[in-house]
Amino acid sequence: MTETMMPVNGIQVCIETFGEATDPPLLLLAGDASSMDWWDDEFCRRLAAGDRYVVRYDHRDTGRSTCFPIGSPGYSGLDLMNDALGVLDVLGVPAAHLVGFSLGGGIAQRIAVEHPDRVLSLTLMSTSAGSGDADPSRPDTAAGAGGVAGGTVSVVTRTLPAADIDWSDRKAAITHLIEEIRDRGGPFTAAEPHLRRLAERIFDRSADLAAGRLHHRLAGYGPPVRDRLAEIVAPTVILHGTLDQRFPAQHPTELADTIPGARLVWLEGVGHELPPRALWDNVLREILLP
């Protein structure tokens, strides 16, 4: 496991690798405003044990990567995609298995459409075909365990709005991160001690938590690729929680119906969250299948 600062597209990106560089590469793409810390260390090690050269990195404005002044990011969603390709370039990787969560899944879709030669396989977690459309992440219906859209639901938010958080206040930021994960999770979400360690690590590695929160929203997703998803040729698996209220059933179903040969695997009892440890065996098996 090696963490390194490397020049990518005129900025500095923090990159960490697991496993042997001679194994097939696998790039992990985190969600919006999310550093690579969200990908659990042990999860990465288990991927590497499956004969993969695992790469994770901090998006710009997260973790230790270059942070831009608040309100002036000067980049777009296309730059976030190009950063992912730039990470592969600096590591000398011509093509990789892409595993993307939420925004990371949108980045993976765009790469698969615009740079199909860089993609060995796609794993799309808790994401949508609507990346690039106006506000694709706020649908009105929720999915049941069978993946069929149900009635209108209200997303219950017990935490303060993110805009009201002083992200420079360590205690307040950590408390908010913990409660945010709980709000989006399900019965398998990790217990408080684990969430606190994660939140503390995220805060301590971040130059400015507020920057990523604001700037990734301002950057957007880039031009829509929904109408081109049928061009994807990489083997694709879609992993989606049955309790995901940000992207209910119609989102993964559309992906599965549109991407040729894609398989949709429902994760029972999982919300809009990276796969909890209780489901790792199934999730790892699906990722490592191609």
Side-chain angles (χ1 to χ4, degrees):
M1 179 168 82
T2 305
E3 183 177 315
T4 310
M5 299 297 296
M6 303 185 80
V8 174
N9 297 331
I11 63 171
Q12 289 291 311
V13 172
C14 187
I15 301 170
E16 191 169 29
T17 64
F18 298 75
E20 301 295 330
T22 53
D23 285 335
L26 185 152
L27 181 65
L28 297 170
L29 300 158
D32 64 281
S34 296
S35 64
M36 64 181 172
D37 303 290
W38 291 89
W39 298 104
D40 190 277
D41 291 355
E42 181 60 25
F43 185 81
C44 295
R45 284 191 283 267
R46 289 184 61 177
L47 282 172
D51 298 325
R52 293 289 187 270
Y53 178 51
V54 178
V55 181
R56 66 180 180 180
Y57 70 100
D58 292 327
H59 290 302
R60 58 177 68 198
D61 271 324
T62 74
R64 292 177 177 152
S65 291
T66 294
C67 188
F68 292 79
I70 284 287
S72 303
Y75 62 84
S76 71
L78 291 177
D79 293 304
L80 295 176
M81 178 198 73
N82 289 329
D83 288 347
L85 294 172
V87 167
L88 297 181
D89 290 340
V90 298
L91 294 174
V93 173
H97 298 279
L98 303 184
V99 179
F101 171 81
S102 197
L103 170 68
I107 293 172
Q109 292 170 54
R110 184 175 299 282
I111 294 173
V113 166
E114 298 186 359
H115 304 275
D117 57 316
R118 307 299 301 268
V119 183
L120 299 177
S121 73
L122 278 179
T123 301
L124 305 177
M125 297 180 175
S126 301
T127 192
S128 172
S131 297
D133 295 350
D135 196 20
S137 63
R138 302 298 177 194
D140 295 324
T141 57
V148 179
T152 301
V153 297
S154 298
V155 178
V156 178
T157 302
R158 295 182 295 273
T159 58
L160 285 171
D164 296 335
I165 300 298
D166 178 0
W167 291 104
S168 65
D169 182 325
R170 190 175 190 272
K171 181 178 180 180
I174 288 170
T175 297
H176 182 81
L177 285 170
I178 293 170
E179 293 180 352
E180 190 174 68
I181 297 169
R182 285 174 172 163
D183 286 348
R184 295 179 179 178
F188 301 116
T189 302
E192 196 274 346
H194 178 89
L195 298 183
R196 180 165 298 278
R197 287 192 296 272
L198 172 62
E200 290 173 346
R201 174 171 168 169
I202 291 168
F203 183 91
D204 292 341
R205 287 191 66 258
S206 298
D208 188 346
L209 277 174
R213 292 272 170 159
L214 174 62
H215 294 165
H216 284 194
R217 295 291 185 183
L218 293 177
Y221 295 93
V225 297
R226 172 184 264 123
D227 293 342
R228 298 185 60 193
L229 294 181
E231 301 174 20
I232 293 177
V233 296
T236 301
V237 62
I238 301 155
L239 305 178
H240 209 88
T242 59
L243 302 182
D244 193 324
Q245 294 189 26
R246 184 174 185 185
F247 293 127
Q250 65 268 31
H251 293 274
T253 300
E254 181 184 7
L255 282 171
D257 289 344
T258 307
I259 299 174
R263 295 184 303 110
L264 173 55
V265 178
W266 290 101
L267 303 180
E268 184 70 35
V270 174
H272 190 74
E273 57 186 329
L274 283 163
R277 184 179 291 266
L279 283 82
W280 278 6
D281 286 346
N282 291 339
V283 168
L284 289 164
R285 182 169 57 251
E286 295 292 344
I287 295 174
L288 295 171
L289 186 61

